[in-house]
Amino acid sequence: MKVAVIRTGVANLASVMAGLRRAGATPELTDDPAAVAAAPAAFLPGVGAFGAGMAGLRSAAIDRVLVDRIAAHRPVMAICLGLQMLARASEESAGVDGLGVFDATVTRFRGDVRIPQFGWNRVAPTADSALVQPGYAYFANAFKLDALPEGWAGAMGDHGGPFVAAVERGPVLACQFHPELSGDWGQALLRRWLEVSAC
Amino acid sequence: MLTRRIIPCLDVRDGRVVKGVRFQNLRDAGDPADQAAHYEATGADELVILDVSATAEGRANAAHTVAAVRAVLGIPLTVGGGIRAVDDAARLLEAGADKVSVNTAAVDDPSLLTRLSERFGAQCTVIAIDAARRAPGVAAWEVVTHAGTRRTGMDAIAWAREAVARGAGEILLTSWDQDGTRAGYDTELLTAVSEAVPVPVIASGGAAHAAHLVDALHAGADAVLAASIFHDGETTPSALKAVLAAAGIEVRR
């Protein structure tokens, strides 16, 4: 299946492209809103700061396209900063509006833990999660969502306290971790998302 | 809770693995992609590729090596060796590295860390520090460069702090006294550095047994890097993790 991978700024996308290819997809890099709107599935990567990521989406006029896709339950996967940009705002970039799909503010990790969170952490799906299996995922983040938005399933992790590891509803899946770097477990998740997206 | 990581290291010269694993089930023991896939399948949490090419021509192969490894590798990949400028790092990241590691070039010009971190993020920027004790039994270490041949006089702990302040998101800490000895990591050094900085510290240099890994992780390391311990097929990351788990250390299994 063709997956439109949204090119936002200087994010390194080689791992994402390779991961999607291994999962059987045909990823195509694009910053064209019409291509993102038309693609059977859209993929929002995210490395870097919240403010810069949102500025990239807005200047390419992809922000509305993504919100519309999600509202229409059309396949979208967002990872790392991509998940955070679905929120209303972030402590990382005060005063910058997120996409507002989730009525929540992204916060920084606190407490006596390594920040950023770098490495493999246990992921525990909610009972109503259809895509996420229990296992270990690879994270590289200093910010996170604190609680699952109402009406969404997903998964939680723990790093000095609970945080949101994944949010899902139908073929819309947002992961705080990097499935493309999470070994066989991550590959299996990409495949399941591609399967539900093909329906 | 974050698990502790086991990170095999591949030394690559002119696109070929040197001192690689001698496993019979590998098609080509000198092929970095075959070795990388093998390590992922046997439980590695990440992989480091160190390009030890002596020439610019050899280093030009590094991006091809990284692209070939990336195509088959589903875990994080750090690449080091010969990175002296932001453009060197950009080539390797575009080819498929997730992080780049700098050593001598950052000692020569610490602003390189800031430029890497501002362009690619701290999560991409690893500072490799080679440290040697100022004298046997003395709890003070200095930074060495050029494969240990040059003593800088710089305090290793202070350099670790400065590197993090300048944007490094992770420290790959090699004890130059222990490296190659198979006598275990320098646990005192690991404790001193991991207490001095908030970012993860990867222990390197001296591992020969699972007990050495346990000691390093108890001393404060977040991850352990090893190379020769895997080369004769005497053990695998998965086998080591069984020992770590039995010692009460959380690992991904």
Side-chain angles (χ1 to χ4, degrees):
Chain A
M1 180 170 44
K2 232 172 79 174
V3 177
V5 177
I6 298 162
R7 191 203 302 268
T8 49
V10 296
N12 162 35
L13 300 177
S15 296
V16 162
M17 301 295 279
L20 284 168
R21 280 191 200 106
R22 281 197 303 277
T26 309
E28 290 178 4
L29 274 178
T30 182
D31 57 3
D32 173 12
V36 175
F43 195 102
L44 177 63
V47 170
F50 187 87
M54 283 307 304
L57 288 182
R58 293 226 161 83
S59 71
I62 290 174
D63 50 340
R64 275 316 320 163
V65 173
L66 275 172
V67 171
D68 290 348
R69 280 193 77 109
I70 293 169
H73 302 280
R74 296 184 60 217
V76 172
M77 186 155 178
I79 61 169
C80 203
L81 177 69
L83 177 152
Q84 297 172 13
M85 290 193 293
L86 298 179
R88 189 163 32 76
S90 172
E91 285 183 2
E92 186 177 16
S93 306
V96 176
D97 284 339
L99 294 172
V101 174
F102 309 144
D103 184 21
T105 296
V106 172
T107 59
R108 189 175 162 86
F109 283 117
R110 289 183 177 83
D112 185 25
V113 290
R114 295 281 195 209
I115 301 171
Q117 167 179 225
F118 261 134
W120 298 81
N121 204 336
R122 194 187 288 273
V123 169
T126 57
D128 52 351
S129 168
L131 292 172
V132 185
Q133 298 284 316
Y136 288 100
Y138 185 81
F139 292 85
N141 61 308
F143 294 85
K144 82 308 183 200
L145 267 187
D146 294 294
L148 282 169
E150 223 177 293
W152 293 74
M156 300 298 289
D158 193 292
H159 188 57
F163 70 93
V164 172
V167 184
E168 67 166 273
R169 195 168 67 192
V172 177
L173 173 64
C175 305
Q176 183 57 66
F177 50 84
H178 288 270
E180 79 282 11
L181 298 178
S182 295
D184 290 343
W185 182 90
Q187 280 294 301
L189 178 61
L190 285 174
R191 286 203 189 89
R192 283 193 295 277
W193 174 70
L194 289 167
E195 274 164 27
V196 300
S197 297
C199 292
Chain B
M1 184 181 167
L2 278 182
T3 65
R4 306 301 182 105
R5 294 168 277 158
I6 294 185
I7 309 176
C9 177
L10 291 180
D11 285 357
V12 172
R13 183 190 295 141
D14 304 330
R16 302 284 294 168
V17 177
V18 291
K19 295 187 301 182
V21 185
R22 289 194 290 272
F23 281 109
Q24 293 180 341
N25 56 347
L26 287 185
R27 271 186 299 129
D28 176 359
D31 180 52
D34 278 4
Q35 293 242 349
H38 172 79
Y39 277 128
E40 180 180 344
T42 53
D45 294 310
E46 279 185 54
L47 195 68
V48 168
I49 289 183
L50 189 61
D51 181 32
V52 295
S53 299
T55 63
E57 274 175 325
R59 278 195 295 276
N61 282 324
H64 297 292
T65 301
V66 169
V69 169
R70 178 79 282 159
V72 300
L73 190 72
I75 56 176
L77 173 63
T78 301
V79 180
I83 298 165
R84 304 210 53 92
V86 169
D87 285 348
D88 297 333
R91 267 191 294 280
L92 296 168
L93 291 167
E94 279 160 21
D98 300 298
K99 318 179 203 178
V100 289
S101 146
V102 289
N103 187 335
T104 300
V107 172
D108 292 346
D109 177 10
S111 78
L112 176 61
L113 289 169
T114 314
R115 285 179 280 129
L116 288 171
S117 187
E118 283 176 355
R119 172 98 179 261
F120 307 113
Q123 85 290 337
C124 276
T125 308
V126 180
I127 179 69
I129 298 177
D130 293 348
R133 278 184 195 259
R134 292 197 186 269
V138 174
W141 298 263
E142 70 176 299
V143 177
V144 298
T145 60
H146 297 85
T149 57
R150 217 169 286 178
R151 295 207 159 224
T152 64
M154 289 163 62
D155 179 66
I157 314 297
W159 173 230
R161 280 203 192 93
E162 182 184 347
V164 170
R166 285 179 177 273
E170 197 163 46
I171 295 178
L172 172 52
L173 180 63
T174 302
S175 161
W176 208 254
D177 305 300
Q178 300 301 107
D179 198 44
T181 63
R182 295 177 68 85
Y185 299 94
D186 185 337
T187 52
E188 235 185 325
L189 170 66
L190 286 167
T191 301
V193 173
S194 66
E195 284 178 355
V197 296
V199 304
V201 175
I202 304 169
S204 162
H209 309 292
H212 292 151
L213 276 60
V214 172
D215 291 345
L217 297 169
H218 281 152
D222 298 277
V224 283
L225 180 132
S228 63
I229 187 171
F230 301 120
H231 288 169
D232 297 322
E234 60 191 76
T235 189
T236 62
S238 294
L240 292 172
K241 284 178 177 181
V243 180
L244 300 189
I249 294 168
E250 185 161 358
V251 289
R252 175 181 72 109
R253 299 175 74 189

